[in-house]
Amino acid sequence: MFHWLEKHPFLFSVGVFLTIAFAGLVEIVPNFAQAARPTIGTKPYTLLQLAGRDVYIKNSCNSCHSQLIRPFKAETDRYGHYSLSGEYAYDRPFLWGSERTGPDLHRIGNYRTTQWHENHMMDPAKIVQGSIMPAYPWLFKNKADINTAYAEQLTDAEFFAVPYNKPVPLKDGKTTVIPMAKSVASANAMALKEAKAVVKDMHNQDVKDAVARGDIPEIVALIAYLNSLK
């Protein structure tokens, strides 16, 4: 048998390739599948956070900020623990980014506050010396699109099995439930309730008044999203 293989090197090479490829599939694919599952503590986005994520994308924040911390000491010292595949299980689309004109934001919720984001989005250069980031004053006036965010939430639950209204495990061993409304009206009421919790830590009176009237400015939704990045 071995003499036959020596006389047919091409077939021998093909056999070796197939063997290695099969072994690689058996070893690697299950690990990839396991890594892609939600990590313990990763929660689906709330309705207001989804609306804020849409604001983030609409204003091209991901063009200058990545959400991917690489496993190098210089990165983890600055931004926190390196990113894990399962932390993106509920992200559609992914916002890893390919450029860092500004800092990585994957764990910004761990070290920036609602008030910091409020002041920073209104006048970045005043908050961060030398910043070239433009101001975003229109976010304080434009209303967040809650209806579209609710449609995204329904799609995620129906077609991607995102566990809304189901227990989600936390790192401390407990569980939490991220609710999803049953109608557009109740969805807007749910988002407004979350918005009221956010504006408690804000100073802009126009934003506070808008939420009191039942409107949700984009800045409130964006801050809710940024606060969720941990």
Side-chain angles (χ1 to χ4, degrees), residues 21 23-39 84-89 94 96:
L25 287 174
V26 171
E27 274 297 316
I28 297 173
V29 172
N31 287 334
F32 271 118
Q34 179 62 36
R37 293 177 181 174
T39 56
L84 303 172
S85 299
E87 293 178 305
Y88 303 99
F94 299 121
W96 293 326

Side-chain angles (χ1 to χ4, degrees), residues 134-214:
Y136 291 84
W138 57 86
L139 298 182
F140 293 75
K141 299 178 180 179
N142 294 349
K143 290 200 298 184
D145 189 350
I146 302 301
N147 291 350
T148 296
Y150 180 53
E152 293 174 18
Q153 203 176 42
L154 290 172
T155 300
D156 289 343
E158 180 70 21
F159 295 100
F160 299 106
V162 175
Y164 287 111
N165 295 327
K166 298 178 182 178
V168 177
L170 301 177
K171 292 180 180 179
D172 61 4
K174 298 180 181 178
T175 61
T176 188
V177 175
I178 305 300
M180 183 176 67
K182 295 183 178 181
S183 67
V184 174
S186 58
N188 278 271
M190 186 181 295
L192 183 61
K193 181 179 180 181
E194 189 178 352
K196 289 179 179 178
V198 174
V199 298
K200 284 182 180 179
D201 297 322
M202 298 181 67
H203 286 171
N204 189 292
Q205 192 59 47
D206 290 339
V207 172
K208 288 178 173 288
D209 291 342
V211 172
R213 292 193 305 268

Side-chain angles (χ1 to χ4, degrees), residues 63-103:
S63 295
C64 293
H65 295 279
S66 61
Q67 290 187 29
L68 179 64
I69 304 170
R70 301 171 182 88
F72 305 122
K73 188 175 187 301
E75 299 245 334
T76 55
D77 283 351
R78 183 178 183 185
Y79 300 121
H81 194 280
Y82 58 84
S83 303
L84 303 172
S85 299
E87 293 178 305
Y88 303 99
Y90 305 128
D91 283 17
R92 295 176 180 84
F94 299 121
L95 298 175
W96 293 326
S98 59
E99 183 179 342
R100 281 188 190 157
T101 303

Side-chain angles (χ1 to χ4, degrees), residues 111-125:
Y111 53 87
R112 296 301 187 195
T113 64
T114 293
Q115 190 179 119
W116 188 93
H117 287 306
E118 175 188 9
N119 296 330
H120 183 245
M121 297 305 293
M122 180 61 79
D123 191 351

Side-chain angles (χ1 to χ4, degrees), residues 4 15-16 27 35 39 57-58 86 91 105 111 126 128 136 173 212 218 225 227:
W4 183 86
V16 171
E27 274 297 316
T39 56
I57 295 171
K58 183 174 74 172
D91 283 17
L105 302 181
Y111 53 87
K126 185 178 180 180
V128 180
Y136 291 84
E218 288 184 332
Y225 170 63
N227 285 345

